Amino acid sequence: MTICYADYTGHLYIKSDVYGFGIVLVEILTGLRALDTNRPSGKQYLVDWIKPYLSEIRKLKQIMDPRLEGIYPSKAAFHISQLAQKCLAAEPKLRPSMKEVLEKLERFEAANERPREPRNHASHPMVHRQGQQPLHHRSPLHPRLDGNPAYQNSSRVSQ
């Protein structure tokens, strides 16, 4: 059975679900919502302005969720950003299948890269978001405190 979802065009395609998953990956990387009318004009739609930051590690560091405080495996974050970029391809034919996305994510998890200490907190260009609850989810970018990369169940934070 093939499931179809609408993508940014509002049309249904076989790989529209992949596009939606790409949005979720970008939300995880940045800690930002896909649509936020409180952001400045030109930055209200996350996907519209984030794509150029996904192509290079240096650019990616500028948009990473500041709540991670620079402590995340940068190589894994870059691999996730590259996957997100492929998922967000405008042409559905160029997007990977969900099976390919899952295989890539499993390979990333198997690499089991450890987080690094931040080099310089003060150089992070994103503004600190006051009044937001901490994230309570697990991903390759948010390792468990005991160092075990395995996922665990957590309660969802309503936004």
Side-chain angles (χ1 to χ4, degrees):
M1 179 169 122
T2 302
I3 300 174
C4 298
Y5 297 96
D7 65 6
Y8 74 99
T9 65
H11 295 101
L12 292 175
Y13 295 102
I14 297 238
K15 294 186 180 176
S16 293
D17 57 339
V18 174
Y19 185 88
F21 190 73
I23 293 172
V24 170
L25 291 175
V26 170
E27 287 178 320
I28 291 170
L29 290 170
T30 63
L32 300 172
R33 293 181 182 182
L35 173 63
D36 186 347
T37 56
N38 294 321
R39 284 197 294 258
S41 178
K43 290 195 172 187
Q44 293 181 350
Y45 295 97
L46 182 61
V47 172
D48 289 348
W49 65 271
I50 208 73
K51 282 184 181 181
Y53 293 89
L54 301 175
S55 61
E56 297 176 27
I57 287 181
R58 286 184 181 174
K59 290 180 181 180
L60 180 63
K61 288 180 182 182
Q62 295 175 19
I63 53 101
M64 288 296 293
D65 187 342
R67 292 172 289 188
L68 295 174
E69 298 179 347
I71 303 172
Y72 59 87
S74 60
K75 195 179 215 180
F78 184 64
H79 288 305
I80 297 287
S81 75
Q82 295 293 284
L83 179 58
Q85 196 170 31
K86 289 176 183 174
C87 291
L88 296 172
E91 180 64 38
K93 294 177 192 174
L94 300 176
R95 298 176 198 152
S97 67
M98 280 307 288
K99 180 180 178 185
E100 292 169 313
V101 169
L102 177 61
E103 289 169 355
K104 283 188 181 278
L105 289 172
E106 287 173 341
R107 282 194 301 256
F108 297 158
E109 184 179 24
N112 195 19
E113 184 176 297
R114 301 279 183 212
R116 296 185 317 160
E117 291 297 319
R119 290 186 184 164
N120 185 355
H121 292 289
S123 66
H124 200 289
M126 291 190 70
V127 177
H128 178 67
R129 294 178 213 96
Q130 296 178 349
Q132 289 188 349
Q133 295 292 323
L135 297 177
H136 295 288
H137 58 82
R138 301 285 178 215
S139 78
L141 301 177
H142 300 85
R144 288 175 30 180
L145 294 177
D146 65 4
N148 185 340
Y151 296 96
Q152 65 181 179
N153 293 331
S154 62
S155 60
R156 297 184 80 177
V157 176
S158 61
Q159 296 181 349

